[in-house]
Amino acid sequence: MDSNNEMGRTDRFYGYVSVMHAVPDAPNVDIYANDNLIVRNLAYGKYTAYLRIPAQTYELTVYVAGTKTNPVISRMLTLGRNEIFTVAAAGTLDSIELLAIQDADVPRVQDQALVRFVHLSPNAPAVDITLPDGNVLFEDISFGEVTEYIPVNDMIYTLQVRVAADDTVVLTVPRVDVRDNNYYSIYAIGLVGEHPGLEALLVRDGNVR
């Protein structure tokens, strides 16, 4: 087989990657994939749209924005054809990690939304995610954990983040608007009792092809 033709076909195989900055005490960052700049000057609490890149193995490296010496952290990511990932910088500056979170990786549920929870608050204890009436959606989720997607009805929700050990409400998230046939992740970021404070990001996953 002609190697050039084979390479041409391989180049048409792509995956999708979003990058999130969830390290509350870190400066803006640049992200490189195999030494190529893919994200510039990403601030805390921000995330990118999905980047369409060839399906292969990458070394992802994070630098303080505007520099390219003394990398903050790096990790390998193998991206398969049509796979969808969010790569989240998480933790604190002295214990930073890059989490590769696979998105939209279960079949859709007809006429319902699929929702999961991702705990990225480095000083928060294990938490439950509940409705205001106490009905538990996600239970005892610790820092760095990612739940499975669960199906929910198309509507606007108010959610509460409660300390799993004693049921104390540490965050109320109003107007969580989910629509059927879509995937969503709810990310808890920030710090409990410190600045920047605990907050929730509702991110729509997938829908990139």
Side-chain angles (χ1 to χ4, degrees):
M1 179 180 293
D2 183 273
S3 61
N4 290 330
N5 288 339
E6 185 177 3
M7 179 63 72
R9 279 193 290 274
T10 302
D11 284 349
R12 291 197 294 269
F13 296 168
Y14 292 89
Y16 303 85
V17 175
S18 172
V19 181
M20 176 179 289
H21 184 338
V23 182
D25 61 345
N28 293 8
V29 296
D30 295 337
I31 297 94
Y32 287 76
N34 292 351
D35 211 35
N36 295 307
L37 180 65
I38 60 169
V39 178
R40 185 190 304 273
N41 201 33
L42 187 66
Y44 165 74
K46 302 299 183 181
Y47 56 93
T48 70
Y50 285 110
L51 310 172
R52 180 175 179 264
I53 59 178
Q56 62 182 64
T57 297
Y58 292 93
E59 181 178 24
L60 301 178
T61 307
V62 178
Y63 295 92
V64 173
T67 73
K68 206 183 173 201
T69 58
N70 301 319
V72 177
I73 192 172
S74 64
R75 69 158 291 162
M76 304 304 293
L77 173 69
T78 298
L79 180 65
R81 182 184 182 187
N82 290 331
E83 286 187 331
I84 309 169
F85 280 90
T86 293
V87 176
T92 58
L93 196 52
D94 61 357
S95 61
I96 193 170
E97 55 187 307
L98 283 179
L99 304 177
I101 303 166
Q102 191 163 7
D103 296 339
D105 58 347
V106 297
R108 285 186 170 88
V109 177
Q110 186 174 6
D111 298 326
Q112 289 191 296
L114 286 163
V115 178
R116 69 180 176 186
F117 174 66
V118 185
H119 188 329
L120 296 185
S121 171
N123 76 336
V127 298
D128 299 334
I129 307 302
T130 76
L131 300 176
D133 63 6
N135 184 35
V136 176
L137 300 180
F138 305 104
E139 186 173 16
D140 198 23
I141 310 303
S142 298
F143 170 74
E145 290 189 336
V146 182
T147 72
E148 301 293 329
Y149 288 99
I150 62 170
V152 299
N153 292 329
D154 174 347
M155 62 182 293
I156 298 174
Y157 293 87
T158 294
L159 300 180
Q160 293 182 334
V161 180
R162 303 184 185 217
V163 176
D166 61 18
D167 216 30
T168 301
V169 177
V170 292
L171 182 66
T172 296
V173 188
R175 299 194 63 77
V176 178
D177 188 358
V178 299
R179 300 298 177 181
D180 60 12
N181 299 314
N182 286 303
Y183 300 85
Y184 298 90
S185 291
I186 301 167
Y187 290 86
I189 67 170
L191 301 169
V192 176
E194 301 179 38
H195 181 78
L198 187 66
E199 63 176 303
L201 302 177
L202 178 67
V203 179
R204 191 175 69 160
D205 301 331
N207 294 330
V208 293
R209 296 192 296 276

